[in-house]
Amino acid sequence: MELRSVEELMDLLRTGRGVWDTPAPGPHEARGAGGRGGGIRRPGAPGVDVHEHALQTAALLRRSRPADKELQVTGLVHPIGRLLGPADVAGRAGRAAEAVRTLLGERVARLLRRHPWLGPAADDDLARLRQADEDGRVAGFDAGVLEDWRTVLELVAARNSRLGAVD
């Protein structure tokens, strides 16, 4: 799926409301219903609402790198691979990257594809994404609403779209 407009992207991000994601399992735990692919919130298990987590991750990146809109947007859209293919844990990063590449540009797609949440962070951008992803799993952190990000998404899309066409 290729997202063609900021509105399509925002609609997809909205579908993350009420979808729960738990932290990646440690090396001793198998991926399954409780891993990133689960989507089922077990009583007592740490987890986050995918929509809220996206907002929190982006807000943390906005605080640490206020001028880097592409990095902030990457934090915002990083869970869309999970929304596009809930059962395909291994393919999520690639699916997210391909969905936003035309709309948000090659840098955002590259950062998503390299999936900083699995394996070592190769550069500062990936390290910041990983840290924001981990820190963005805090319940009660008010990161605002998705509509607050429309202008930033439109700016990045205008810079990176084939024809500069956005909603």
Side-chain angles (χ1 to χ4, degrees), residues 64-85:
S64 68
R65 299 272 292 273
D68 194 342
K69 303 304 183 209
E70 289 177 336
L71 186 63
Q72 295 166 25
V73 165
T74 303
L76 182 67
V77 302
H78 81 273
I80 67 168
R82 185 204 189 296
L83 300 171
L84 292 170

Side-chain angles (χ1 to χ4, degrees), residues 11 14-15 45 51-53 56 61 70 73-74 90 101 108 117 140 143 145 150:
D11 287 344
R14 285 183 195 105
T15 66
H51 179 79
E52 288 301 316
H53 177 61
Q56 291 172 347
L61 289 165
E70 289 177 336
V73 165
T74 303
R101 187 172 45 83
V108 173
W117 304 274
V145 296
R150 180 181 295 276

Side-chain angles (χ1 to χ4, degrees), residues 26 37 81 89 125:
V89 176
D125 289 344

Side-chain angles (χ1 to χ4, degrees), residues 9-129:
L9 176 56
M10 291 187 67
D11 287 344
L12 178 60
L13 289 167
R14 285 183 195 105
T15 66
R17 285 188 186 125
V19 176
W20 286 87
D21 195 14
T22 56
H28 62 283
E29 300 174 63
R31 289 192 185 273
R36 277 203 184 264
I40 300 168
R41 185 165 189 221
R42 296 173 302 173
V48 293
D49 177 281
V50 171
H51 179 79
E52 288 301 316
H53 177 61
L55 292 172
Q56 291 172 347
T57 303
L60 289 165
L61 289 165
R62 179 182 273 171
R63 287 181 187 174
S64 68
R65 299 272 292 273
D68 194 342
K69 303 304 183 209
E70 289 177 336
L71 186 63
Q72 295 166 25
V73 165
T74 303
L76 182 67
V77 302
H78 81 273
I80 67 168
R82 185 204 189 296
L83 300 171
L84 292 170
D88 181 15
V89 176
R92 288 181 187 168
R95 182 174 282 112
E98 287 311 306
V100 302
R101 187 172 45 83
T102 302
L103 182 64
L104 300 178
E106 201 54 50
R107 180 176 178 227
V108 173
R110 179 184 55 81
L111 290 169
L112 289 171
R113 196 176 298 110
R114 292 181 66 195
H115 212 277
W117 304 274
L118 302 173
D123 60 33
D124 185 54
D125 289 344
L126 295 173
R128 285 183 188 265
L129 279 168

Side-chain angles (χ1 to χ4, degrees), residues 110-162:
R110 179 184 55 81
L111 290 169
L112 289 171
R113 196 176 298 110
R114 292 181 66 195
H115 212 277
W117 304 274
L118 302 173
D123 60 33
D124 185 54
D125 289 344
L126 295 173
R128 285 183 188 265
L129 279 168
R130 173 179 288 161
Q131 190 62 51
D133 178 60
E134 291 171 6
D135 293 348
R137 293 183 176 276
V138 177
F141 168 47
D142 183 12
V145 296
L146 182 60
E147 194 60 35
D148 295 341
W149 288 94
R150 180 181 295 276
T151 303
V152 176
L153 287 167
E154 288 172 346
L155 287 170
V156 173
R159 257 189 276 158
N160 292 293
S161 291
R162 281 185 214 141

